Amino acid sequence: MTILRVGRSPEPFSATGTYFDGIAAAATQVAVTVDEDAQALVGLTDSGVRITWPLTDIREVPDQAGGDQMLLQLSNDPVQRILLNDHSLTPRLPNRSKRPKVTKRGPLIGWALAAVTSVALIIFVLVPTMANQLARFIPPEGERALGEVTFNQIRSALDQTGLNPVPVCDNPEGMAALSKMEARLQAALPEEQILTVSVLDHEMINAFALPGNYIVFFRGLIEKAETPEEVAAVFAHEIGHVVSRDPTRHALRSAGSLGVLGLLFGDFAGGAAVLLLAERLIEAHYSQEAEADADVFAHAVMLDAQIAPSALATMFERFLALGGDASPFVSHFLSHPTLGDRIQAARDATPAGFDAVPLLTAQEWRALQNICD
């Protein structure tokens, strides 16, 4: 005797929901049922639109509102939606949670590469070009204000306690020695520069220039130098950047690049941008041409000031030997692979038998090295 087992037929399904056609802003009511023969969800909206959605093509979209409703879409239609309160349709949808197949992957990759290329062109080509042009038109008072604000930001950014900015050293005897050094270099400049020279009470071995004729030394550099001529060599090099307005162009390029990144990733309009800009200016990596020009400028000024340009080579070698302890300063001066050429150029710029005139007395040099006491 043979017993035939008949499969149980699915329960009939009918429900009322909300239909979004993805074109009109207003939703319409829809009454839906399952057509067993066509294996499709069929319905008619209040506005007279007939829908036929194959069950195998229906996907469920997460309900971002209450999470208690069933939001459906077609795998090949990104805009139409049906919102149901009845979840009993779930067993009838074999591909409900299956991700739609990605088609036309090639154009997507092409668009992504085009977007990345566009951003790279903006940051590395357009922003530097615009910065170079804009730097020519910034009035002196605007450049001065930019330098003053940046200087204060750097002082705050370097403070480890979060309570007070890094102090500016003002020991009278040390300041007098620094002013004497500046006067010697100023007398050798092609044109007098109104400089604001400061020493920050920080152990970092570094010196840098800011927009508006600011030149900043760190206590660590002055303490590690063995002669006042080494400090003067750094001084003359930074004056070269000031005269060429390299800090202004660098600040504009950095700010422009951070602005582009901020538009893409956010959180660059506030404190993060300030800290990054301060860091970029402290560890400014100028172009190889700008660094070479600043060296040549320093050689000429030092010769006219009766200071041996070879002090610049000695400074390079001394701080390179310090290695990791001088990383910010080294990265500032040694960011290009032509260091040996720059050392040799500084030595070659010193004529044979050059008669250098001492820059500071021993007492003045001690006062300069203790300028932060």
Side-chain angles (χ1 to χ4, degrees):
M1 180 177 176
T2 302
I3 300 176
L4 297 177
R5 297 183 182 274
V6 180
R8 184 178 179 182
S9 299
E11 294 290 335
F13 173 83
S14 63
T16 300
T18 305
Y19 172 72
F20 303 88
D21 63 6
I23 300 174
T28 59
Q29 295 298 305
V30 61
V32 293
T33 60
V34 172
D35 184 334
E36 300 295 348
D37 294 332
Q39 283 295 291
L41 184 71
V42 298
L44 180 66
T45 70
D46 289 350
S47 59
V49 176
R50 294 186 178 276
I51 64 169
T52 301
W53 287 15
L55 296 178
T56 54
D57 292 344
I58 296 176
R59 305 289 188 267
E60 185 173 3
V61 181
D63 177 14
Q64 302 292 346
D68 57 343
Q69 295 180 304
M70 196 173 189
L71 184 61
L72 307 176
Q73 74 169 135
L74 278 173
S75 61
N76 58 356
D77 189 326
V79 295
Q80 292 187 76
R81 297 287 191 274
I82 295 177
L83 186 63
L84 301 174
N85 290 320
D86 189 344
H87 288 259
S88 61
L89 183 63
T90 299
R92 311 289 290 275
L93 305 177
N95 299 319
R96 174 178 62 90
S97 58
K98 184 178 179 181
R99 297 181 63 182
K101 184 179 179 180
V102 178
T103 59
K104 299 181 179 179
R105 196 182 298 268
L108 291 176
I109 296 176
W111 293 336
L113 289 175
V116 171
T117 301
S118 298
V119 172
L121 286 173
I122 291 172
I123 292 178
F124 296 110
V125 178
L126 182 59
V127 168
T129 300
M130 293 181 64
N132 291 338
Q133 295 294 328
L134 184 59
R136 301 176 184 177
F137 301 102
I138 294 181
E141 56 272 17
E143 197 171 6
R144 174 79 180 176
L146 175 60
E148 182 177 359
V149 169
T150 307
F151 178 64
N152 291 326
Q153 289 173 348
I154 288 173
R155 291 180 59 203
S156 298
L158 290 174
D159 174 43
Q160 300 297 317
T161 66
L163 300 176
N164 297 299
V166 172
V168 177
C169 303
D170 57 359
N171 179 280
E173 290 78 12
M175 291 298 297
L178 186 62
S179 296
K180 182 178 179 180
M181 181 181 292
E182 179 186 350
R184 179 87 164 262
L185 295 174
Q186 284 276 14
L189 294 178
E191 182 179 345
E192 184 179 1
Q193 300 291 321
I194 301 176
L195 303 175
T196 300
V197 185
S198 302
V199 179
L200 293 182
D201 190 4
H202 195 280
E203 69 276 6
M204 186 184 297
I205 303 173
N206 203 355
F208 57 92
L210 292 176
N213 293 23
Y214 278 83
I215 294 179
V216 182
F217 290 91
F218 285 103
R219 167 175 51 81
L221 182 143
I222 297 175
E223 289 178 344
K224 290 294 183 180
E226 293 191 3
T227 67
E229 284 73 21
E230 290 178 7
V231 177
V234 177
F235 205 155
H237 178 93
E238 297 304 335
I239 292 175
H241 285 309
V242 166
V243 171
S244 299
R245 304 184 76 183
D246 292 330
T248 300
R249 284 192 289 271
H250 187 75
L252 292 174
R253 284 197 295 268
S254 298
S257 299
L258 291 174
V260 172
L261 294 175
L263 290 175
L264 294 175
F265 304 110
D267 193 35
F268 277 86
V274 172
L275 293 176
L276 284 173
L277 180 58
E279 181 180 351
R280 286 193 177 193
L281 289 172
I282 291 173
E283 301 182 21
H285 292 176
Y286 299 119
S287 69
Q288 185 171 353
E289 181 181 2
E291 291 292 348
D293 289 346
D295 285 353
V296 172
F297 181 91
H299 300 163
V301 169
M302 293 175 74
L303 280 174
D304 288 345
Q306 295 183 286
I307 304 169
S310 58
L312 188 61
T314 304
M315 181 275 301
F316 281 143
E317 293 171 334
R318 183 177 312 287
F319 290 108
L320 179 61
L322 291 174
D325 292 338
S327 57
F329 184 77
V330 170
S331 67
H332 171 81
F333 280 97
L334 317 182
S335 57
H336 303 289
T338 56
L339 175 61
D341 293 339
R342 295 174 69 186
I343 291 175
Q344 189 59 47
R347 297 203 182 283
D348 291 343
T350 305
F354 179 74
D355 188 16
V357 175
L359 185 59
L360 299 177
T361 66
Q363 182 178 355
E364 289 169 336
W365 174 230
R366 285 193 299 272
L368 181 57
Q369 288 200 298
N370 294 309
I371 192 171
C372 295
D373 290 348

